Amino acid sequence: MIPWLLRAITFRSPIPTNPRTLLLSYMFYSTYTSPSATLVGQPRNDSMPYSNSSTAGKSDSGFDRNNDENIRGQFWMIYEREAGYHVEEFLEKHKSDMDIVLIFSGLFSAVSTTFIVSLQSALSPDETKMTNALVQLLIYTLDNTAFDGQQPTLPQWNGPGPTEIWIQCLMYASLSTSLIAALGAVLGKQWLGHFIRCGRGPIDVRGRLRQQRMDGLQTWYFSAVLEALPLLIQISLLLFGIALSASIWTQQPTIATPVLLTMAFGALFYGVIVISCVVSPTCPFQTT
């Protein structure tokens, strides 16, 4: 098995904090970086690097403590450098995603709120019709000959229709989804800020703390949670587009036709690029 330290140097992957794995990595590093370093307290043998015959009768008390401290320091310096590359890439990706989500969700929430307010009248009686009916009743009371014997009546309102109800449901669901995405983006930036603060102290203490937090990112699926926030924005856009198309269709189908065609083209394009990314890992339209 290749020790984790070698993998970290080669592939820039995080080093686990498992004591046994760290010990193996430390011994591997000490063997290949110092001519006097040993794998298990043995001096190097050119013909047989790990022969026991060269150390027969020797105890572990001969181990150079100063050399051990130097090797540990070099180990944590290498870890700090390699982990720094990984952390920098991790933060750059997710911070940019959180900024995009915050900006877009704020603008989109303002637009969707405007449409919700404009459609709010469908959930209540038409005040214009009620006012006209009351004026006609007043005129009829004063002069009933003006209506040719037809008595005006007040319009009856039995509540909004099912179409208006589900259109409003989609609108409010779209707004709620974008607000949840904005909340997640704010929390995400705070989580990232907490992650990069490792405090002060010896390099080995800071290194262990950083590795514990990196292990926690994988245990709690931190990246998956942050990557779900842009998906919420996309769902919000889809809900808003469906509600807008349905609302325009109920008023004027001719005007709704280009809106529906645009929505269909956007959904088709999105589906094609998603399938392309799944089928081909080299597809340039990757979003994760």
Side-chain angles (χ1 to χ4, degrees):
M1 178 184 298
I2 301 176
W4 278 97
L5 179 62
L6 182 60
R7 295 184 59 187
I9 297 175
T10 307
F11 303 105
R12 294 182 179 178
S13 60
I15 306 172
T17 54
N18 185 284
R20 181 175 178 275
T21 308
L22 284 175
L23 179 60
L24 291 174
S25 303
Y26 156 70
M27 291 188 299
F28 178 87
Y29 178 75
S30 63
T31 303
Y32 284 94
T33 55
S34 175
S36 62
T38 64
L39 183 63
V40 287
Q42 304 175 10
R44 185 187 297 272
N45 189 317
D46 295 335
S47 59
M48 298 182 65
Y50 309 119
S51 173
N52 292 328
S53 61
S54 60
T55 57
K58 292 185 178 181
S59 63
D60 293 339
S61 60
F63 189 84
D64 191 343
R65 295 185 178 276
N66 293 331
N67 186 55
D68 179 47
E69 294 296 330
N70 293 335
I71 293 175
R72 289 179 182 272
Q74 293 176 4
F75 169 79
W76 286 113
M77 289 176 63
I78 294 176
Y79 171 83
E80 190 80 8
R81 184 180 69 249
E82 298 299 326
Y85 295 146
H86 176 79
V87 171
E88 182 179 359
E89 180 181 358
F90 176 83
L91 293 176
E92 181 181 0
K93 176 182 182 300
H94 288 297
K95 279 188 174 182
S96 61
D97 289 345
M98 296 302 100
D99 292 337
I100 293 173
V101 170
L102 277 175
I103 296 174
F104 188 85
S105 60
L107 297 175
F108 180 72
S109 297
V111 173
S112 59
T113 302
T114 303
F115 277 92
I116 289 175
V117 171
S118 64
L119 297 176
Q120 193 71 26
S121 59
L123 300 178
S124 59
D126 191 345
E127 297 180 357
T128 302
K129 291 183 179 180
M130 182 63 68
T131 301
N132 293 336
L134 291 174
V135 172
Q136 291 178 0
L137 284 176
L138 180 60
I139 295 174
Y140 180 81
T141 303
L142 298 176
D143 185 9
N144 54 12
T145 60
F147 294 91
D148 296 332
Q150 296 180 357
Q151 182 178 358
T153 59
L154 293 176
Q156 299 295 324
W157 190 74
N158 299 321
T163 304
E164 287 79 9
I165 291 177
W166 73 261
I167 288 176
Q168 290 287 334
C169 289
L170 292 177
M171 283 287 187
Y172 280 104
S174 174
L175 177 60
S176 301
T177 305
S178 64
L179 293 178
I180 292 175
L183 174 62
V186 172
L187 294 176
K189 291 184 73 68
Q190 293 178 341
W191 296 334
L192 292 173
H194 172 74
F195 170 74
I196 62 177
R197 290 192 294 269
C198 294
R200 298 182 178 180
I203 187 173
D204 58 335
V205 175
R206 290 186 282 111
R208 290 189 179 93
L209 178 60
R210 169 177 286 182
Q211 185 58 42
Q212 290 175 1
R213 293 182 176 179
M214 293 174 69
D215 292 340
L217 298 181
Q218 299 179 1
T219 303
W220 293 94
Y221 303 99
F222 184 78
S223 295
V225 172
L226 295 186
E227 290 173 359
L229 298 179
L231 182 61
L232 291 178
I233 292 294
Q234 298 170 12
I235 294 175
S236 179
L237 278 173
L238 177 63
L239 295 176
F240 179 79
I242 295 175
L244 180 62
S245 302
S247 176
I248 298 177
W249 183 268
T250 57
Q251 300 176 19
Q252 182 55 255
T254 304
I255 300 177
T257 301
V259 179
L260 290 174
L261 292 176
T262 304
M263 288 288 301
F265 174 77
L268 179 63
F269 175 76
Y270 182 81
V272 169
I273 62 175
V274 169
I275 295 175
S276 300
C277 294
V278 173
V279 173
S280 175
T282 59
C283 180
F285 305 112
Q286 302 285 345
T287 57
T288 59

